[in-house]
Amino acid sequence: MEITPNCVVALTWTLKDTLGEELDRLEDPVEFLVGGNDLLAKVEEALQGHEPGDRLDLHLEPEDAFGDYDEQRVFLEPRSVFPKELEEGMTFEGLPAGATSQDAPKNLLYTVTEIYPEHVVLDGNHPLAGIAIRLHLKVEAVREATEEEVGRGTLGTGFFRIGD
């Protein structure tokens, strides 16, 4: 079966930056809904008409991947509003209770990037924002999507999305 909108594709991949550093490897096939919200638009476009066993090499600029880095998504919050056990790399859905940044979007996933005695730096950008990526993927399987899957618009897996 060829890949068309509203089908389910099982993929494996290796994701690297332009310097060849591996960012992510998916060795066991994961299913994604084509025509929903699971895959980046450029990835969906490239997959059209392919079949199981096909391999694709894609180069995606930031605007086609996870967007440009936006300094307006970086916020300083008082250290006191965070749990005692806090480490760089921890993530929070939205800002913690007591946060002081009134203009911070509530629906972002924030990553703790720096911890100081008095404040914490939160970054609402996707970890791969501003990075061009190279994606080597293999189509492992293709099947028709169920009506329920199409109605949901996702299989719940998402393409390396961390908040969005």
Side-chain angles (χ1 to χ4, degrees):
M1 176 179 172
E2 283 189 1
I3 297 173
T4 59
N6 296 326
C7 75
V8 173
V9 60
L11 301 173
T12 54
W13 68 56
T14 303
L15 178 70
K16 297 181 178 182
D17 64 16
T18 54
L19 299 176
E21 183 179 332
E22 189 171 299
L23 304 171
D24 187 47
R25 177 180 294 268
L26 187 60
E27 294 179 342
D28 296 321
V30 173
E31 290 189 331
F32 301 91
L33 178 66
V34 176
N37 300 316
D38 289 350
L39 293 168
L40 298 170
K42 287 287 184 181
V43 173
E44 276 201 8
E45 190 179 300
L47 285 170
Q48 296 300 311
H50 285 278
E51 299 177 331
D54 287 355
R55 296 175 184 270
L56 290 87
D57 286 306
L58 305 175
H59 176 90
L60 301 176
E61 291 298 324
E63 60 269 18
D64 295 325
F66 302 100
D68 289 320
Y69 189 84
D70 183 355
E71 291 181 10
Q72 301 296 315
R73 289 184 170 192
V74 179
F75 300 92
L76 292 178
E77 290 297 330
R79 174 64 180 94
S80 60
V81 302
F82 292 91
K84 190 173 193 137
E85 300 297 318
L86 186 69
E87 295 176 16
E88 287 183 14
M90 290 178 80
T91 58
F92 293 87
E93 287 189 36
L95 295 176
T100 59
S101 299
Q102 302 300 322
D103 54 345
K106 306 281 187 257
N107 63 339
L108 294 179
L109 190 69
Y110 290 94
T111 302
V112 175
T113 57
E114 295 178 82
I115 303 171
Y116 296 98
E118 298 298 318
H119 65 271
V120 173
V121 180
L122 290 179
D123 189 340
N125 286 286
H126 187 284
L128 298 180
I131 297 175
I133 58 174
R134 295 180 193 271
L135 180 63
H136 174 74
L137 55 81
K138 181 179 179 193
V139 178
E140 301 289 347
V142 182
R143 67 173 173 81
E144 287 186 33
T146 66
E147 283 186 37
E148 181 185 340
E149 290 168 337
V150 173
R152 279 197 321 257
T154 181
L155 295 183
T157 43
F159 176 84
F160 206 71
R161 290 213 172 109
I162 299 177
D164 196 45

